[in-house]
């Protein structure tokens, strides 16, 4: 209990450091801009899109503003969201090393495993903030520019406003879970270097590579093992009744990545000479 | 390890290899409890690398370390809470205030009490004279202020050892004096202080003990008085007829006489009898204008051991 509360104060301190940084807020602001730009673009162009044209849900945005959040999430998933995620994950250890604060944390003493765990949880909290920012900014701008009402699901059923807000939260949560794998990969890469930008770039590159491989039909045997594979599969959450099959396979896959890269990060970091 | 004397820090054959280079090469340090131990060496001699190994930041390639009787790195967790340190200069989050930086590092310490945190942080800031700047962001701090904040960080809890790596780096003479006074007052509380420097003058007045390091090796170590005594006493003589004088000195069994423009310098035993020599020379009608025994300064001794130049040794 005592030890737990002490780790709590490190966890809070970690979040305080993250959310004192202007960079964190700038990234969240940029993320909020995606649904806003999307809604403005839709509102300002008079042209009606034919159903199915443009990204999924886009045609629905004008009829129901609540779809702004879903559409923005789809748009942000391939590149923009992973980019901000990579910045935060790549910074974890390498950022502290490049500032030199890592040596002072370690001699505090923080405990290397404890630091890794707290750093990782901190990045997951950022992912949660990012995905909910997408949704919430989407709801707000969507309700300003468009009518809102009961949502017609992909299955044709209608759900109430309250139910749709709940589904949106589930989608945001699904997307957060989707990010846990890449966060673990970023954490591991971050233990390999003292140059945070290098770790961030490498993490982004891996995300790109994974998505490219996922698009090569010749490698179909590999697809279900790629950490980006289920990223866009949150459509199942928008069916009635809600289908959690892809949620479960995604969660399991991400858990695997977290276990493997978490272990790699620990085995690297626990024996590393801190020379910065 | 030295027996019978309580040591705060002891190492035996401590070595750190970087690739083919031995940054630290088999050093055996013995730092008595309660001492102010100067760790002296030119830039690149391996001081910081040694300190990193002491604190468990880097693994030793060979050799053993004990801090306060705890073998390192095995019992690092037990030893570290009793040790405050400044390693390779201060390092902080530039976008946070000085005070919040200290709160952050103290929250990282799993053995520190959250209840007393703010009070301890403020006391540490007070002690290094940073109370008024504690709310400023660190990126607005001068190097001297950062150095003080680093010292405050080392003082967040009552410590048994302070390991300070070049604590006066970047400070003006006034700041250097203040740091020296701070170290003195900490030493007076009985804290063992291990302080590194590349300048003897910065720490000479502080230290009770000294180790001199060059190119990864310790070339002298011990009580500062003993080290002073180890340096060779010299006889300085200024007189007319200097060539004849040299012959007379040789006749007295002295050797290694070095002839300067108007005087000679001769190494002699510490208890050399100057008066008798003087009498002899006067009898021989030398016009002696100066005759004295000289003890080289510790500075000179240090330079002799480590070489003078400005160049980094390697
Ligand atoms: N990370 C490193 N990789 C390789 N060599 C290093 C590293 N850190 C220090 N060195 C080398 O080790 C030697 C000692 O460095 P250091 O301990 O920093 O010296 P000091 O603190 O006495 O100035 C230097 O020659 C330096 O170049
Ligand atoms: Mg150094």
């Amino acid at each position: 209990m005592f030890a737990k509360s002490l780790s709590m104060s490190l966890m809070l301190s970690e979040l305080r450091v993250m959310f004192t940084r202007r960079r964190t807020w700038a990234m969240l602001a940029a993320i909020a801009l995606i649904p806003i730009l999307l809604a403005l673009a839709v509102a300002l162009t008079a042209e009606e899109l034919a159903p199915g044209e443009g990204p999924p849900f886009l045609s629905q945005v004008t009829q129901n503003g609540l779809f702004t959040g879903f559409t923005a999430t789809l748009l942000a998933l391939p590149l923009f969201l992973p980019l901000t995620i990579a910045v935060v994950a790549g910074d974890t250890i390498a950022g502290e090393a490049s500032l030199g604060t890592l040596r002072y944390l370690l001699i505090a003493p923080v405990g290397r495993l404890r630091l890794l765990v707290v750093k990782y949880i901190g990045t997951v909290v950022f992912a949660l903030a990012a995905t909910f920012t997408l949704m919430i900014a989407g709801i707000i701008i969507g309700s300003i520019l468009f009518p809102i009402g009961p949502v017609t699901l992909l299955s044709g059923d209608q759900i109430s406003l309250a139910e749709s807000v709940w589904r949106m939260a589930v989608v945001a949560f699904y997307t957060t879970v989707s990010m846990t794998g890449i966060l673990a990969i970023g954490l591991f890469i971050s233990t390999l270097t003292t140059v945070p930008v290098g770790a961030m770039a490498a993490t982004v590159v891996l995300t790109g590579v994974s998505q490219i491989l996922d698009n090569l039909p010749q490698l179909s045997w590999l697809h279900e093992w790629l950490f980006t594979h289920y990223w866009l599969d949150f459509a199942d959450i928008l069916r009635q009744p809600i289908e959690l099959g892809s949620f479960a396979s995604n969660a399991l896959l991400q858990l695997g990545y977290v276990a493997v890269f978490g272990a790699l990060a620990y085995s690297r970091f626990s024996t590393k000479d801190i020379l910065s | 390890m030295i027996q019978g004397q309580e040591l705060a820090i002891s190492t035996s054959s401590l070595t750190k290899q970087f690739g083919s280079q031995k940054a630290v090469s088999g050093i055996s340090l013995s730092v008595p409890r309660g001492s102010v131990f100067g760790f002296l060496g030119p830039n690149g001699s391996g001081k910081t690398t040694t300190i990193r190994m002491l604190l468990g930041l880097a693994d030793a390639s060979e050799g053993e370390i004990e801090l306060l009787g705890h073998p390192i790195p095995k019992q690092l967790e037990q030893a570290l809470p009793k040790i405050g340190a400044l390693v390779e200069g201060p390092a902080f989050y530039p976008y946070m205030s000085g005070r919040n930086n200290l709160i952050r590092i103290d929250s990282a310490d799993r053995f520190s009490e959250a209840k007393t945190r703010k009070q301890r942080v403020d006391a540490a800031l007070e002690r290094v004279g940073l109370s008024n700047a504690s709310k400023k962001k660190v990126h607005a701090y001068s190097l001297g202020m950062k150095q003080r904040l680093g010292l405050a960080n080392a003082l967040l809890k009552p410590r048994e050892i302070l390991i300070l790596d070049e604590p006066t780096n970047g400070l003006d003479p006034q700041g250097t004096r203040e740091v020296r006074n701070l170290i003195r007052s900490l030493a007076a509380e009985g804290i063992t202080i291990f302080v590194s420097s590349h300048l003897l003058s910065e720490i000479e007045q502080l230290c009770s003990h000294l180790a001199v390091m060059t190119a990864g090796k310790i070339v002298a170590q011990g009580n500062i008085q003993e080290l002073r005594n180890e340096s060779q006493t010299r006889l300085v003589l200024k007189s007319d007829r200097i060539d004849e004088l040299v012959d007379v000195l040789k006749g007295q069994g002295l050797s290694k006489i070095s002839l300067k423009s108007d005087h000679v310098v001769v190494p002699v035993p510490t208890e050399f009898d100057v008066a008798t020599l003087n009498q002899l020379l006067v009898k021989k009608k030398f016009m002696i204008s100066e005759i004295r025994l000289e003890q080289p300064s510790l500075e000179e001794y240090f330079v002799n051991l480590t070489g003078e130049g400005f160049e980094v040794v390697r």
Side-chain angles (χ1 to χ4, degrees):
Chain A
M1 187 62 215
F2 189 48
K4 219 180 227 170
S5 68
L6 285 180
S7 281
M8 203 58 213
S9 83
L10 176 59
M11 191 67 247
L12 289 177
S13 154
E14 178 62 27
L15 294 178
R16 206 170 299 135
V17 171
M18 180 182 283
F19 288 98
T20 316
R21 292 197 78 163
R22 240 182 269 160
R23 189 180 72 191
T24 307
W25 291 106
M27 288 194 300
L28 290 178
I31 285 171
L33 219 51
I34 296 176
I36 294 175
L37 288 178
L38 172 105
L40 285 176
V42 171
L44 294 178
T45 48
E47 270 175 74
E48 285 283 314
L49 285 175
E53 194 181 342
F57 309 127
L58 191 58
S59 56
Q60 271 121 310
V61 166
T62 46
Q63 280 123 56
N64 194 338
L66 289 182
F67 276 101
T68 317
F70 294 128
T71 317
T73 302
L74 274 179
L75 285 180
L77 261 174
L79 181 65
F80 199 80
L81 191 60
L83 205 64
T84 61
I85 292 293
V87 167
V88 172
D91 201 48
T92 44
I93 300 299
E96 300 277 0
S98 78
L99 280 179
T101 43
L102 183 57
R103 61 177 183 267
Y104 288 108
L105 292 176
L106 291 181
I107 65 176
V110 67
R112 295 191 182 204
L113 176 61
R114 185 163 164 262
L115 182 64
L116 268 186
V117 170
V118 164
K119 280 282 173 189
Y120 182 71
I121 296 175
T123 62
V124 173
V125 171
F126 176 82
L128 209 59
T131 52
F132 274 88
T133 298
L134 268 173
M135 276 305 171
I136 294 170
I139 295 179
I140 294 174
I141 189 72
S143 60
I144 293 174
L145 294 181
F146 309 109
I148 55 171
V151 169
T152 309
L153 291 174
L154 302 173
S155 54
D157 302 271
Q158 273 214 338
I159 54 171
S160 70
L161 208 60
E163 172 77 18
S164 358
V165 170
W166 162 241
R167 297 278 174 117
M168 285 175 157
V170 177
V171 170
F173 187 65
Y174 178 94
T175 309
T176 303
V177 171
S178 292
M179 294 298 126
T180 53
I182 174 186
L183 284 173
I185 294 173
L187 180 74
F188 168 58
I189 297 175
S190 194
T191 62
L192 301 178
T193 172
T194 56
V195 186
V197 180
M200 296 170 193
T203 310
V204 172
V205 166
L206 282 181
T207 312
V209 169
S210 173
Q211 294 186 69
I212 290 168
L213 296 180
D214 203 18
N215 277 318
L216 297 178
Q218 292 84 346
L219 296 175
S220 56
W221 56 271
L222 184 65
H223 290 173
E224 58 181 328
W225 300 103
L226 296 168
F227 63 92
T228 55
H229 184 65
Y230 297 103
W231 278 12
L232 300 174
D233 289 358
F234 58 74
D236 288 353
I237 295 164
L238 303 178
R239 291 181 209 284
Q240 187 77 321
I242 191 164
E243 276 177 35
L244 291 177
S246 57
F247 198 129
S249 351
N250 186 24
L252 207 59
L253 178 73
Q254 301 297 338
L255 197 66
Y257 273 91
V258 173
V260 170
F261 284 92
L264 284 174
Y266 179 67
S267 76
R268 165 70 183 156
F269 188 55
S270 61
T271 56
K272 187 186 184 186
D273 278 356
I274 307 303
L275 300 170
S276 57
Chain B
M1 317 258 144
I2 296 180
Q3 299 294 316
Q5 187 183 20
E6 250 204 299
L7 294 179
I9 304 173
S10 77
T11 72
S12 65
S13 335
L14 187 62
T15 299
K16 183 69 187 181
Q17 187 115 20
F18 288 124
S20 62
Q21 181 198 14
K22 278 189 172 154
V24 175
S25 182
I27 68 172
S28 296
L29 283 168
S30 300
V31 181
R33 279 205 198 219
S35 63
V36 178
F37 194 101
F39 191 39
L40 205 59
N43 289 322
S45 55
K47 304 183 296 295
T48 302
T49 305
T50 303
I51 289 174
R52 282 185 200 282
M53 288 189 284
L54 293 181
L55 296 171
L57 291 170
D59 264 339
S61 310
E62 275 167 54
E64 267 128 57
I65 302 171
E66 266 186 35
L67 294 184
L68 300 165
H70 298 291
I72 302 296
K74 219 183 192 170
Q75 296 183 4
L76 193 62
E77 296 261 289
Q78 282 99 305
L80 283 179
K82 304 179 211 162
I83 299 171
L86 191 64
V87 193
E88 184 96 307
F92 294 101
Y93 307 91
Y95 45 86
M96 296 194 339
S97 72
R99 188 164 181 275
N100 284 343
N101 263 287
L102 294 190
I103 289 177
R104 156 74 166 169
I105 298 176
D106 194 66
S107 319
D109 177 354
R110 74 160 104 194
F111 302 100
S112 89
E113 235 187 294
K115 258 197 316 201
T116 56
R117 178 163 300 139
K118 293 202 163 140
Q119 179 200 332
R120 284 181 292 111
V121 163
D122 289 333
L125 286 165
E126 174 91 46
R127 180 129 208 199
V128 299
L130 267 185
S131 292
N132 292 329
S134 67
K135 298 232 157 63
K136 254 195 206 168
K137 294 215 162 112
V138 167
H139 72 72
Y141 277 26
S142 68
L143 182 53
M145 289 161 83
K146 284 183 196 153
Q147 197 73 259
R148 284 163 194 248
L149 193 58
L151 286 167
N153 173 43
L155 297 173
L156 282 173
K157 294 205 283 194
R159 309 288 194 187
E160 288 178 40
I161 306 180
L162 284 177
I163 296 181
L164 305 174
D165 192 8
E166 314 234 7
T168 53
N169 233 4
L171 296 184
D172 53 16
Q174 169 70 12
T176 304
R177 222 171 2 253
E178 283 169 14
V179 166
R180 241 186 260 146
N181 288 337
L182 181 62
I183 292 178
R184 255 190 217 110
S185 73
L186 291 163
E189 293 169 18
I191 303 173
T192 307
I193 298 184
F194 184 80
V195 54
S196 85
S197 180
H198 63 280
L199 286 174
L200 176 65
S201 58
E202 302 249 295
I203 55 170
E204 183 178 356
Q205 302 114 294
L206 285 176
C207 296
S208 60
H209 293 72
L210 209 59
V212 181
M213 196 160 177
T214 183
K217 293 207 170 71
I218 287 183
V219 287
Q221 177 173 206
N223 182 297
I224 208 160
Q225 206 45 56
E226 288 166 16
L227 289 176
R228 280 213 176 88
N229 294 343
E230 250 172 54
S231 54
Q232 177 77 62
T233 310
R234 303 176 292 211
L235 172 69
V236 180
L237 251 174
K238 207 180 225 176
S239 161
D240 63 342
R241 298 185 283 137
I242 247 176
D243 295 337
E244 277 176 59
L245 180 69
V246 171
D247 292 337
V248 174
L249 292 176
K250 277 185 183 154
Q252 294 296 305
L254 296 171
S255 56
K256 294 195 195 150
I257 302 169
S258 53
L259 204 62
K260 310 281 154 109
S261 59
D262 65 339
H263 66 283
V264 293
V265 179
V266 202
V268 293
T270 318
E271 60 285 357
F272 185 78
D273 188 351
V274 192
T276 310
L277 177 69
N278 190 25
Q279 212 172 26
L280 175 75
L281 294 177
V282 171
K283 240 187 238 161
K284 295 194 180 239
K285 299 271 176 354
F286 283 97
M287 301 280 287
I288 298 164
S289 55
E290 191 179 342
I291 178 166
R292 66 188 158 85
L293 285 181
E294 188 183 77
Q295 196 77 29
S297 70
L298 212 46
E299 179 80 45
E300 233 177 294
Y301 178 59
F302 173 55
V303 169
N304 275 339
L305 289 172
T306 62
E308 185 127 30
F310 185 68
E311 289 294 315
V312 172
V313 187
R314 52 188 180 153

